[in-house]
Coordinates of all heavy atoms in Angstrom, one line a residue:
I289 N 112.9 101.0 79.9 CA 113.5 102.1 80.7 C 113.5 103.4 79.8 O 113.2 104.5 80.3 CB 114.9 101.7 81.1 CG1 114.7 100.8 82.3 CG2 115.8 102.9 81.5 CD1 116.0 100.5 83.1
A290 N 113.8 103.2 78.5 CA 113.9 104.4 77.6 C 112.5 105.0 77.6 O 112.3 106.3 77.7 CB 114.3 104.0 76.2
A291 N 111.4 104.2 77.6 CA 110.1 104.7 77.5 C 109.7 105.4 78.8 O 109.1 106.5 78.9 CB 109.1 103.6 77.3
A292 N 110.2 104.8 80.0 CA 109.9 105.4 81.3 C 110.5 106.8 81.4 O 110.0 107.6 82.2 CB 110.4 104.5 82.4
K293 N 111.6 107.0 80.7 CA 112.3 108.3 80.8 C 111.7 109.3 79.8 O 111.9 110.5 80.0 CB 113.8 108.1 80.4 CG 114.6 107.4 81.5 CD 115.8 106.7 80.9 CE 116.8 107.7 80.3 NZ 118.0 107.0 79.9
D294 N 110.9 108.8 78.9 CA 110.3 109.7 77.9 C 108.9 110.1 78.3 O 107.9 109.3 78.3 CB 110.3 109.0 76.6 CG 109.5 109.7 75.5 OD1 109.1 110.9 75.8 OD2 109.2 109.2 74.4
K295 N 108.7 111.3 78.8 CA 107.4 111.8 79.3 C 106.3 111.5 78.3 O 105.2 111.3 78.7 CB 107.5 113.3 79.6 CG 108.5 113.7 80.6 CD 108.0 113.4 82.0 CE 109.0 113.9 83.1 NZ 110.2 113.0 83.1
K296 N 106.6 111.6 77.0 CA 105.5 111.4 76.0 C 105.0 110.0 76.0 O 103.9 109.7 75.6 CB 106.0 111.8 74.6 CG 106.3 113.3 74.5 CD 106.6 113.7 73.0 CE 107.9 113.2 72.4 NZ 109.1 113.5 73.2
S297 N 105.8 109.0 76.5 CA 105.3 107.6 76.5 C 104.2 107.4 77.4 O 103.4 106.4 77.3 CB 106.5 106.7 76.8 OG 106.7 106.7 78.3
G298 N 104.0 108.2 78.4 CA 103.0 108.0 79.4 C 103.3 106.8 80.3 O 102.5 106.3 81.1
K299 N 104.5 106.2 80.2 CA 104.9 105.1 81.0 C 105.8 105.5 82.1 O 106.6 106.5 82.0 CB 105.7 104.1 80.1 CG 104.8 103.4 79.1 CD 105.5 102.2 78.4 CE 104.4 101.6 77.5 NZ 105.0 100.5 76.7
R300 N 105.8 104.8 83.2 CA 106.7 105.0 84.4 C 107.3 103.7 84.8 O 106.6 102.7 84.5 CB 105.9 105.7 85.5 CG 105.7 107.2 85.3 CD 105.3 107.9 86.6 NE 105.5 109.3 86.4 CZ 105.5 110.2 87.5 NH1 105.3 109.7 88.7 NH2 105.7 111.5 87.3
L301 N 108.4 103.7 85.4 CA 109.0 102.5 85.9 C 108.3 102.2 87.2 O 108.6 102.8 88.3 CB 110.5 102.7 86.1 CG 111.3 101.4 86.6 CD1 111.1 100.2 85.6 CD2 112.8 101.7 86.7
M302 N 107.2 101.4 87.1 CA 106.4 101.2 88.3 C 107.1 100.5 89.4 O 108.0 99.7 89.1 CB 105.1 100.4 87.9 CG 104.3 101.0 86.8 SD 103.9 102.8 87.2 CE 102.5 102.6 88.3
G303 N 106.9 100.9 90.6 CA 107.6 100.4 91.8 C 108.9 101.1 92.0 O 109.6 100.8 92.9
F304 N 109.1 102.2 91.2 CA 110.3 103.1 91.4 C 109.8 104.5 91.8 O 108.8 104.9 91.4 CB 111.1 103.1 90.1 CG 112.4 102.4 90.2 CD1 112.4 101.0 90.2 CD2 113.6 103.1 90.2 CE1 113.6 100.3 90.2 CE2 114.8 102.4 90.2 CZ 114.8 101.0 90.3
G305 N 110.6 105.1 92.6 CA 110.3 106.5 93.0 C 109.4 106.6 94.2 O 108.7 105.6 94.6
H306 N 109.5 107.7 94.9 CA 108.7 107.8 96.2 C 108.8 109.3 96.6 O 109.8 110.0 96.4 CB 109.4 107.0 97.3 CG 108.4 106.8 98.4 ND1 108.2 107.7 99.4 CD2 107.6 105.7 98.6 CE1 107.2 107.2 100.2 NE2 106.9 106.0 99.8
R307 N 107.6 109.8 97.1 CA 107.5 111.2 97.5 C 108.5 111.5 98.6 O 109.1 112.5 98.7 CB 106.1 111.5 97.9 CG 105.9 112.9 98.5 CD 106.2 114.0 97.6 NE 105.4 114.0 96.4 CZ 104.2 114.3 96.3 NH1 103.5 114.7 97.3 NH2 103.6 114.3 95.1
V308 N 108.7 110.5 99.5 CA 109.5 110.8 100.7 C 110.9 110.2 100.5 O 111.9 110.8 100.8 CB 108.8 110.3 102.0 CG1 109.7 110.5 103.2 CG2 107.5 111.0 102.2
Y309 N 111.0 108.9 100.1 CA 112.3 108.2 100.1 C 113.1 108.8 98.9 O 112.6 108.7 97.7 CB 112.1 106.7 99.9 CG 111.7 106.0 101.1 CD1 110.5 105.2 101.1 CD2 112.4 106.1 102.3 CE1 110.1 104.6 102.3 CE2 111.9 105.5 103.5 CZ 110.8 104.7 103.4 OH 110.3 104.1 104.6
K310 N 114.2 109.4 99.1 CA 115.1 109.8 98.1 C 116.3 108.9 98.2 O 117.4 109.3 97.9 CB 115.4 111.3 98.2 CG 114.2 112.2 98.1 CD 113.4 111.9 96.8 CE 112.0 112.6 96.8 NZ 111.1 112.0 95.8
N311 N 116.1 107.7 98.7 CA 117.1 106.7 98.9 C 116.3 105.4 98.8 O 115.1 105.3 98.6 CB 117.7 106.8 100.3 CG 119.0 106.2 100.5 OD1 119.2 105.1 99.9 ND2 119.9 106.8 101.3
Y312 N 117.0 104.3 99.0 CA 116.4 103.0 98.8 C 115.3 102.8 99.9 O 115.5 103.0 101.1 CB 117.4 101.9 99.0 CG 117.2 100.7 98.1 CD1 118.0 100.5 97.0 CD2 116.2 99.7 98.4 CE1 117.8 99.3 96.2 CE2 116.0 98.6 97.6 CZ 116.8 98.4 96.5 OH 116.6 97.3 95.7
D313 N 114.1 102.5 99.5 CA 113.0 102.2 100.5 C 113.4 100.9 101.3 O 113.6 99.9 100.7 CB 111.7 101.9 99.7 CG 110.5 101.6 100.5 OD1 110.7 101.1 101.7 OD2 109.4 101.8 100.0
P314 N 113.6 101.1 102.6 CA 114.1 100.0 103.4 C 113.2 98.7 103.3 O 113.7 97.6 103.4 CB 114.1 100.5 104.9 CG 113.2 101.7 104.9 CD 113.2 102.3 103.5

Side-chain angles (χ1 to χ4, degrees):
I289 284 195
K293 289 158 58 177
D294 171 8
K295 298 284 185 284
K296 292 191 294 301
S297 76
K299 290 188 176 177
R300 285 195 159 193
L301 185 54
M302 301 311 278
F304 250 71
H306 199 276
R307 174 61 58 77
V308 176
Y309 289 123
K310 300 309 170 193
N311 200 325
Y312 216 104
D313 181 334

